[in-house]
C-alpha cells in the first residue's frame, strides 16, 4: 500500500494527457522528468527543438515533443491541434515557459516590457485560449500557470518581470472564479528562488534557493491535490507573503538597503 501522497499522485496522473510548456531547461525540464514517472502522457513544448527532442527520446514513450514559440498565438493553436489529433483529448495544461530581464534605472526601456509581457503573460493567455475548448470536454480539467513570489509585491529592477507575474496571478485568480460553473480547476505556482539557467544569470544573493528537482517534486505533489496556490519553499514564500501586507512606507524602508547605489557608476 502506497503513502497518501503516492495514492493522490496515482489518482491524478494516471492516463492524464498533460501539456507542459518551457520544458527544455530548468523547472520545466525537471517537471518533465518527474511527471513522466507518474503514468501520465506528457507533451512538452519550448523553442529549442533539438533539446526538446533529445529530452523526449530520453524520457520514452510517455513523452512527446512539440516545439513551439508560445509568444506566437498560432504556434499555441498548432501545438494543441497536434495534441488533439494524436491523443484525442487534453486534461491538464502547465504553462511554465517564461523569461526574465531586469530594468535598469538609467535605461528604462519599453522593449524589455514588451518582450516579457508578450512571452510570460500573452503566451499564457494564448495557451489557455487554444486549449480551453478541449479542457471543457475533459473529466477533471486543470489549468496550471507559472507565476512567482515576485508577484506578491514590487521588487527593484523587476518592474517588467514582476508585473508579468502579478498579471498572471491576478488573471488566473479571476479565471478560476469565472470557470467555477464549468468545474475547471485553476492553480497558480509561486516559487521563490530555484537554481536554473534563468537564475544562474542573477548577480545577487538568492536566499533559500532550492534545486529544480525539489521544485518539480513539490509542484507534482501539490497539483495532485488541485492546490490553488502552490508556493514554496515555505521558509521563503510565507515571509514574503507577510511582508506584502506591510504599508507602502514600511515596505519601502525595509527594501531600501537592497537597492544598489549605481549612481556613482553612471
Ligand atoms: N528559477 C526561479 O527561481 C523561478 C522563480 C519563480 C518563477 N520562475 C518561473 O518558472 C518558469 C521556468 O523558469 P526557469 O527558472 O526554469 O527558467 P529557464 O531554465 O530559463 O526555463 C525557461 C523555459 O521556458 C522556455 N521558453 C522561453 N521563452 C519561450 C517561448 N517564447 N516559447 C516557448 N518556450 C519558451 C525555455 O525554452 P526555449 O528557450 O527552448 O524556448 C525554457 O524551457 C518561468 O516562467 C519563470 O519565470 C522561476
Amino acid at each position: 500500500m502506497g503513502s497518501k501522497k503516492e495514492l493522490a499522485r496515482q489518482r491524478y496522473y494516471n492516463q492524464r494527457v498533460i501539456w507542459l510548456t518551457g520544458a527544455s531547461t530548468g523547472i520545466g525540464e525537471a517537471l518533465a522528468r518527474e511527471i513522466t514517472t507518474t503514468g501520465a502522457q506528457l507533451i512538452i513544448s519550448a523553442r529549442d527543438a533539438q533539446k526538446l527532442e533529445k529530452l523526449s527520446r530520453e524520457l520514452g514513450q510517455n513523452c512527446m515533443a512539440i516545439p513551439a514559440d508560445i509568444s506566437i498565438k498560432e504556434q499555441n493553436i498548432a501545438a494543441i491541434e497536434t495534441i488533439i489529433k494524436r491523443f484525442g483529448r487534453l486534461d491538464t495544461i502547465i504553462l511554465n515557459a517564461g523569461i526574465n530581464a531586469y530594468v535598469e534605472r538609467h535605461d528604462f526601456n519599453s522593449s524589455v516590457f514588451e518582450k516579457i509581457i508578450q512571452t510570460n503573460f500573452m503566451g499564457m493567455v494564448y495557451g489557455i485560449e487554444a486549449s480551453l475548448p478541449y479542457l471543457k470536454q475533459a473529466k477533471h480539467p486543470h489549468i496550471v500557470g507559472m507565476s512567482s513570489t515576485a508577484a506578491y509585491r514590487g521588487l527593484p529592477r523587476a518592474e517588467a518581470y514582476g508585473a508579468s507575474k502579478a498579471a498572471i496571478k491576478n488573471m488566473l485568480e479571476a479565471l478560476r472564479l469565472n470557470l467555477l460553473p464549468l468545474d475547471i480547476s485553476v492553480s497558480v505556482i509561486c516559487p521563490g528562488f530555484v537554481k536554473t539557467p534563468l537564475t544562474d544569470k542573477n548577480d545577487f544573493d538568492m536566499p533559500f534557493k532550492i534545486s529544480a528537482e525539489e521544485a518539480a517534486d513539490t509542484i507534482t505533489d501539490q497539483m495532485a491535490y488541485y492546490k490553488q496556490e502552490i508556493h514554496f519553499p515555505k521558509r521563503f514564500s510565507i515571509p514574503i507573503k507577510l511582508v506584502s501586507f506591510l504599508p507602502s512606507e514600511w515596505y519601502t524602508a525595509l527594501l531600501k538597503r537592497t537597492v544598489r547605489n549605481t549612481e556613482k557608476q553612471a
Side-chain angles (χ1 to χ4, degrees):
M1 177 85 171
S3 68
K4 241 172 100 178
K5 231 164 71 170
E6 279 161 13
L7 287 174
R9 275 193 180 213
Q10 216 170 38
R11 228 185 0 252
Y12 180 90
Y13 288 99
N14 198 30
Q15 306 288 317
R16 207 170 252 269
V17 179
I18 302 177
W19 183 42
L20 167 66
T21 70
S24 61
T25 57
I27 300 172
E29 180 187 347
L31 261 177
R33 292 183 184 282
E34 188 71 31
I35 289 174
T36 43
T37 66
T38 62
Q41 174 60 56
L42 186 70
I43 300 95
I44 53 174
S45 292
R47 289 165 303 179
D48 190 328
Q50 259 187 344
K51 252 192 210 161
L52 215 56
E53 296 289 356
K54 187 167 172 268
L55 180 64
S56 132
R57 269 199 306 276
E58 189 194 324
L59 297 182
Q61 59 183 19
N62 289 343
C63 186
M64 175 187 176
I66 305 181
D69 183 336
I70 53 106
S71 68
I72 300 169
K73 181 174 164 171
E74 290 70 25
Q75 296 200 17
N76 286 268
I77 296 170
I80 296 298
E81 278 173 357
T82 310
I83 294 172
I84 297 302
K85 242 188 233 153
R86 173 73 179 76
F87 301 101
R89 63 175 220 279
L90 179 61
D91 303 304
T92 296
I93 55 171
I94 309 172
L95 305 175
N96 160 73
I99 54 169
N100 181 26
Y102 291 111
V103 172
E104 304 303 340
R105 72 174 70 95
H106 299 296
D107 183 24
F108 190 91
N109 189 331
S110 61
S111 68
V112 175
F113 286 79
E114 282 167 2
K115 206 163 164 232
I116 289 187
I117 296 292
Q118 186 61 24
T119 301
N120 295 4
F121 183 68
M122 287 313 297
M124 189 170 292
V125 172
Y126 297 148
I128 295 170
E129 182 184 31
S131 51
L132 202 49
Y134 304 102
L135 289 171
K136 282 177 184 165
Q137 297 164 30
K139 242 188 185 164
H140 299 291
H142 196 182
I143 295 172
V144 183
M146 181 58 83
S147 177
S148 166
T149 47
Y152 294 140
R153 199 85 192 239
L155 291 164
R157 296 168 75 217
E159 288 89 329
Y161 180 76
S164 76
K165 294 301 183 181
I168 285 171
K169 189 169 174 295
N170 191 296
M171 182 265 287
L172 292 175
E173 214 161 75
L175 187 66
R176 178 183 302 128
L177 294 169
N178 208 351
L179 293 179
L180 276 178
L182 302 182
D183 277 334
I184 300 180
S185 304
V186 178
S187 297
V188 60
I189 309 174
C190 296
F193 294 111
V194 182
K195 185 176 167 26
T196 68
L198 183 140
T199 48
D200 285 347
K201 291 181 203 140
N202 285 345
D203 55 359
F204 51 83
D205 277 348
M206 289 173 271
F208 304 112
K209 185 167 67 178
I210 60 169
S211 69
E213 290 70 28
E214 188 180 339
D217 189 54
T218 304
I219 294 167
T220 311
D221 275 347
Q222 300 205 6
M223 273 178 56
Y225 294 103
Y226 298 92
K227 193 103 168 65
Q228 293 186 3
E229 189 177 330
I230 302 172
H231 63 93
F232 57 89
K234 293 280 190 285
R235 56 193 181 280
F236 181 74
S237 58
I238 291 176
I240 295 288
K241 266 173 172 288
L242 292 175
V243 162
S244 76
F245 293 119
L246 288 178
S248 195
E249 280 73 11
W250 293 20
Y251 180 73
T252 306
L254 188 74
L255 269 279
K256 205 170 170 181
R257 63 197 174 91
T258 69
V259 178
R260 283 186 307 174
N261 189 357
T262 53
E263 294 307 320
K264 293 179 195 99
Q265 298 160 21

